[in-house]
Amino acid sequence: MLREDQWTKAALKADAELADAELVTTEEVLTEVLSFCAKLRFIRNRAAETIRQVVDDPAVRVIGQSHEGFLDGLELYAKRPDKGYSHTDCVSMIEMKRLRIREILSADRHFEQEGFTTMLRSSGRLPQQ
């Protein structure tokens, strides 16, 4: 059983509302999740299981890492020295633009700064922090 936090209800609501949506992510995002969880021994194995489920889920498109994607992300990263964007954010933003995706299931304001709609914040489902 997962402990609830400030994001749990919003995430569950979004999950129900997006049941028929095509979900897209990048291997860089999945790597970032695994990197974060690597320090937390009690969830490390669960994180690996979850990422395997995401990769195997036919309803989720996982965009593979590439040298070109890395360099494109690096270019955006270098062009935004005034922002706090991670390289992973930049790769995601480049892919979203390439695929003409305008909305992201996130509360990350960095994406708003690049003109994307952060679904969780803009819908009022998550607290403004």
Side-chain angles (χ1 to χ4, degrees):
M1 178 79 164
L2 293 174
R3 273 188 13 227
E4 285 196 19
D5 63 16
Q6 64 185 356
W7 311 112
T8 302
K9 288 180 184 171
L12 292 172
K13 183 176 180 181
D15 183 53
E17 290 175 5
L18 297 172
D20 295 329
E22 178 185 32
L23 301 177
V24 179
T25 191
T26 64
E27 287 180 347
E28 287 88 351
V29 168
L30 301 179
T31 298
E32 194 170 76
V33 170
L34 291 171
S35 295
F36 174 79
C37 293
K39 303 171 215 152
L40 306 169
R41 290 180 185 230
F42 64 97
I43 64 167
R44 184 181 173 107
N45 288 338
R46 181 65 180 128
E49 286 177 33
T50 300
I51 297 301
R52 281 190 194 105
Q53 289 172 355
V54 168
V55 169
D56 292 341
D57 188 334
V60 179
R61 183 184 342 173
V62 178
I63 298 171
Q65 296 178 21
S66 70
H67 186 66
E68 179 183 350
F70 175 85
L71 293 177
D72 290 345
L74 181 60
E75 184 176 333
L76 179 58
Y77 182 92
K79 286 181 178 179
R80 303 292 192 273
D82 60 322
K83 306 292 185 202
Y85 302 174
S86 69
H87 181 260
T88 298
D89 288 348
C90 292
V91 169
S92 296
M93 290 171 188
I94 295 291
E95 288 298 335
M96 289 175 69
K97 287 178 184 176
R98 186 178 68 78
L99 296 170
R100 296 187 175 130
I101 297 172
R102 301 302 318 155
E103 297 177 311
I104 184 167
L105 185 58
S106 175
D108 187 338
R109 287 191 174 118
H110 294 148
F111 288 87
E112 291 174 351
Q113 292 171 342
E114 282 296 310
F116 297 102
T117 300
T118 54
M119 295 171 66
L120 298 177
R121 266 193 206 289
S122 65
S123 71
R125 286 182 238 167
L126 291 182
Q128 299 293 315
Q129 291 190 351

